């Protein structure tokens, strides 16, 4: 059979995904690739502070960076934390959009706004809210600066604990002008008006003048994620397709969240599968 040039062992299951991957391979210099961090480039762990990227993630991104138009990590974590935990400071050309796009790290420079007053208010009130709600002792609060996140992964019954806290956290978010972002045994209180889809679209808008060189940009867009917060980026891919821009939705599969797999063009086996996909994609772009 003739060589189609597609990435071996990583064939999308949808026609739109196949078109998107083919478009990346046809014009990689015009392609934009975006990635979530936790659960996609880094395995999920009980303690968020103990998370580190897959051992091959930074090298795979570094291999791809000079072959494509733009490369971004879009994460709910603070951008500097993702860079540190991912060992990403050595990936030339990579942009890290932290706090759902509120922060930007690029070439060692971090740009971050002042957090809205509601974050400080929620942070101060959260301990008493959790006590009053009977949160299990193993409930863990992560302070992200621009947001606060309540994790129940360490609890004996993490889903039961999360369901118990959902209502009181939604009420606290409403009182403080924040929004609740659900995830894998976590509820995050953060400022409204920003999500990974908007962050991706804004990144494309900002990159277009510098990268287009007079030709259509982007030629294709890929986003890989694993959790509910990544669905907004999937929505952005769908919207771009409707505008005529080919796209690929990649899911870092897990048993904890299936909503992304239901909408993905390609499902891989967790961060290990993501890294193998990136290596295979980079290999297919060699010489182009």
């Amino acid at each position: 059979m003739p060589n189609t040039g597609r990435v071996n062992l990583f064939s999308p299951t949808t026609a739109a995904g196949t078109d998107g991957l083919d478009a990346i391979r046809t014009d990689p210099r015009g392609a934009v690739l975006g990635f979530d961090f936790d659960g996609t480039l880094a395995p999920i762990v009980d303690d968020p502070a103990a998370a580190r990227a897959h051992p091959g993630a930074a090298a795979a991104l570094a291999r791809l960076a000079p072959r494509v138009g733009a490369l971004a990590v879009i994460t709910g974590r603070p951008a500097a934390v993702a860079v540190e935990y991912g060992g990403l400071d050595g990936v030339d050309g990579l942009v890290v959009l932290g706090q759902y796009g509120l922060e930007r790290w690029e070439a060692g420079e971090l740009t971050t706004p002042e957090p809205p007053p509601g974050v400080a208010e929620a942070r101060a009130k959260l301990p008493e809210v959790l006590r009053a709600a009977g949160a299990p002792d193993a409930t863990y609060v992560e302070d992200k600066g621009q947001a606060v996140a309540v994790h129940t992964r360490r609890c004996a019954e993490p889903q039961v604990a999360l369901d118990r806290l959902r209502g009181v956290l939604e009420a606290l978010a409403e009182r403080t002008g924040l929004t609740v972002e659900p995830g894998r045994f976590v509820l995050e209180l953060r400022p409204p008006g920003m999500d990974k889809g908007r962050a991706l679209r804004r990144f494309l808008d900002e990159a277009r003048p510098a990268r287009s060189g007079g030709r259509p940009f982007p030629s294709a867009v890929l986003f890989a994620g694993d959790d509910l917060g990544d669905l907004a980026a999937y929505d952005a891919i769908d919207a771009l397709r409707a505008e005529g821009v080919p796209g690929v939705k990649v899911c870092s599969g897990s048993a904890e969240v299936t909503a992304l797999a239901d909408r993905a063009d390609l499902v891989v086996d967790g961060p290990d599968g993501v890294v193998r996909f990136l290596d295979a994609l980079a290999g297919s772009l060699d010489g182009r």
Side-chain angles (χ1 to χ4, degrees), residues 3 5 9 11-12 47-48 51 106 109 128 160 170 187 198 207 209 217 230 233:
N3 182 5
L9 304 180
S11 297
D47 182 357
E106 184 175 9
E109 296 292 328
E128 178 55 36
V160 172
E170 288 175 346
L187 293 168
R198 295 181 186 183
F217 182 90
D230 299 311

Side-chain angles (χ1 to χ4, degrees), residues 103-158:
E103 297 181 341
R104 183 185 181 107
W105 179 95
E106 184 175 9
E109 296 292 328
L110 177 66
T111 303
T112 182
E114 288 294 323
V119 174
E121 184 181 356
R123 183 184 297 114
K125 293 180 176 178
L126 194 54
E128 178 55 36
V129 167
L130 293 176
R131 280 195 295 271
D137 292 340
T139 303
Y140 173 76
V141 177
E142 180 186 8
D143 189 344
K144 296 186 174 183
Q146 298 279 346
V148 287
V150 178
H151 297 261
T152 62
R153 179 173 294 277
R154 299 176 183 174
C155 300
E157 297 181 293

Side-chain angles (χ1 to χ4, degrees), residues 90-208:
V91 182
D92 291 340
L94 176 69
V95 175
V96 179
L97 304 176
Q99 307 274 0
Y100 296 91
L102 291 173
E103 297 181 341
R104 183 185 181 107
W105 179 95
E106 184 175 9
E109 296 292 328
L110 177 66
T111 303
T112 182
E114 288 294 323
V119 174
E121 184 181 356
R123 183 184 297 114
K125 293 180 176 178
L126 194 54
E128 178 55 36
V129 167
L130 293 176
R131 280 195 295 271
D137 292 340
T139 303
Y140 173 76
V141 177
E142 180 186 8
D143 189 344
K144 296 186 174 183
Q146 298 279 346
V148 287
V150 178
H151 297 261
T152 62
R153 179 173 294 277
R154 299 176 183 174
C155 300
E157 297 181 293
Q159 188 60 53
V160 172
L162 196 72
D163 292 341
R164 177 189 300 175
L165 299 176
R166 190 182 304 273
V168 296
L169 293 179
E170 288 175 346
L172 176 61
E174 184 175 359
R175 293 198 302 271
T176 55
L178 302 177
T179 188
V180 175
E181 178 69 43
R184 294 168 68 171
F185 301 128
V186 59
L187 293 168
E188 180 174 314
L189 282 69
R190 61 180 175 86
M194 181 55 71
D195 56 44
K196 292 185 181 180
R198 295 181 186 183
L200 178 59
R201 292 300 296 253
R202 189 168 71 180
F203 177 69
L204 295 175
D205 290 342
E206 292 172 349
R208 186 172 289 113

